[in-house]
Amino acid sequence: MTGKRIKIMASVLVAATVMTGCGTKIYEMTDEEQQLIVNYSAYVLSKHNIYQPDGMTSATESETEEQDTSTTETETKTADEKTSEKTSEKTSEKTDTGQENGNSGQSQQTAQETKPTMQTVSLAQAIGYEGLSVSYAGMTTQETYKEGSYYSMEAGAGNTYAVLKFTLSNTTGADMNVDLFTNTGKYRAAFSGGKEYEAEGSFLTYALNTFQGTIAAGQSVDVVLLFKVPQDTVCDSVTMSVEKDNVKNLIAL
């Protein structure tokens, strides 16, 4: 039926065209006839248009909702991942800080454990030889120190030696073998309340930190300690200490 109507309308169009050319009044189609021609034209175009499947399409409401839901889920996952990363970073920082604090605490504890105890004793007690008396005999300053005619030491430019003198006395009734080179500690001195200096390690035969020999019963030996200090150091007074066996002995001179 539709095909027949299409043929009729086509005939009408042809007749209208012919009549128009002859000055005849144009045939006026009804709305129904116009719609019929429009639909047929659209059908023909779509039948021969090979790109029709790629034409514009409109998404249904359900498809739009699914897309919005997918986008929301993706954004939520991304936010959760960022939050998780920040939480992990903070946890790592806290852990690192905790470890640093722990290491710092351990270091402080170790420093406290290794810090020597302090006590005030006589120099003889600090040296540790029973029956050996050690007396302080004064101090001088010298840029060059000489031991006899065979050995000398230079303090160097801008420096001088603070020379502390001592006397070792054997107070027993028997000879005493004394080894202060092997059985010794760290000798330090501060002058006029200033900086503390450590005694020079030297090849002197008669030094409090190098002496090795026998002291006969009732006899004495003179020894020294050398401290290299700047020439402008004030040496009006001296305080001394001996650190031995993790004990720092403050010496009463």
Side-chain angles (χ1 to χ4, degrees):
M1 183 63 180
T2 302
K4 184 176 180 180
R5 292 181 63 185
I6 292 173
K7 291 178 181 179
I8 293 172
M9 292 306 302
S11 299
V12 171
L13 287 174
V14 173
T17 303
V18 174
M19 291 175 67
T20 301
C22 298
T24 307
K25 185 180 178 180
I26 298 176
Y27 175 77
E28 295 182 2
M29 293 181 289
T30 63
D31 293 339
E32 183 179 3
E33 291 172 342
Q34 290 178 2
Q35 187 62 41
L36 179 63
I37 293 174
V38 170
N39 291 341
Y40 178 74
S41 300
Y43 167 76
V44 173
L45 289 173
S46 64
K47 182 177 180 181
H48 298 283
N49 182 13
I50 60 174
Y51 297 105
Q52 181 66 26
D54 299 330
M56 184 177 68
T57 59
S58 60
T60 62
E61 185 177 354
S62 60
E63 291 175 343
T64 304
E65 292 177 353
E66 291 177 0
Q67 183 176 1
D68 294 341
T69 304
S70 176
T71 302
T72 303
E73 291 177 354
T74 302
E75 292 176 351
T76 303
K77 289 182 179 179
T78 303
D80 292 342
E81 290 174 357
K82 290 182 179 179
T83 303
S84 178
E85 289 177 357
K86 290 182 179 179
T87 303
S88 299
E89 291 176 356
K90 290 182 179 179
T91 303
S92 178
E93 290 176 357
K94 289 182 180 179
T95 302
D96 293 340
T97 303
Q99 291 178 348
E100 290 176 359
N101 292 337
N103 293 337
S104 177
Q106 291 177 357
S107 300
Q108 292 177 357
Q109 183 178 0
T110 302
Q112 291 176 354
E113 291 176 352
T114 58
K115 185 177 180 179
T117 58
M118 298 180 65
Q119 59 183 6
T120 301
V121 297
S122 67
L123 190 51
Q125 290 174 313
I127 291 175
Y129 277 89
E130 188 176 350
L132 181 66
S133 173
V134 184
S135 57
Y136 176 58
M139 174 180 57
T140 62
T141 56
Q142 301 175 218
E143 294 182 8
T144 301
Y145 181 79
K146 294 183 178 180
E147 186 178 84
S149 59
Y150 49 85
Y151 187 69
S152 66
M153 295 176 60
E154 299 286 342
N159 297 316
T160 189
Y161 285 121
V163 183
L164 275 63
K165 301 177 182 180
F166 304 90
T167 299
L168 304 178
S169 301
N170 180 358
T171 60
T172 68
D175 294 347
M176 181 182 295
N177 293 322
V178 179
D179 183 0
L180 299 180
F181 182 78
T182 302
N183 184 24
T184 189
K186 294 180 180 180
Y187 294 82
R188 296 186 178 92
F191 303 94
S192 301
K195 179 181 177 181
E196 192 175 55
Y197 297 89
E198 188 169 344
E200 293 288 299
S202 66
F203 294 100
L204 295 176
T205 303
Y206 294 95
L208 186 61
N209 55 349
T210 62
F211 178 79
Q212 290 177 307
T214 301
I215 302 177
Q219 299 298 310
S220 300
V221 175
D222 294 330
V223 295
V224 297
L225 274 178
L226 301 184
F227 296 90
K228 183 187 292 187
V229 298
Q231 285 182 338
D232 59 355
T233 301
V234 178
C235 298
D236 292 339
S237 62
V238 58
T239 55
M240 221 181 114
S241 66
V242 180
E243 186 176 327
K244 185 177 180 181
D245 299 330
N246 204 36
V247 176
K248 187 173 183 177
N249 300 289
L250 303 178
I251 307 303
L253 296 178

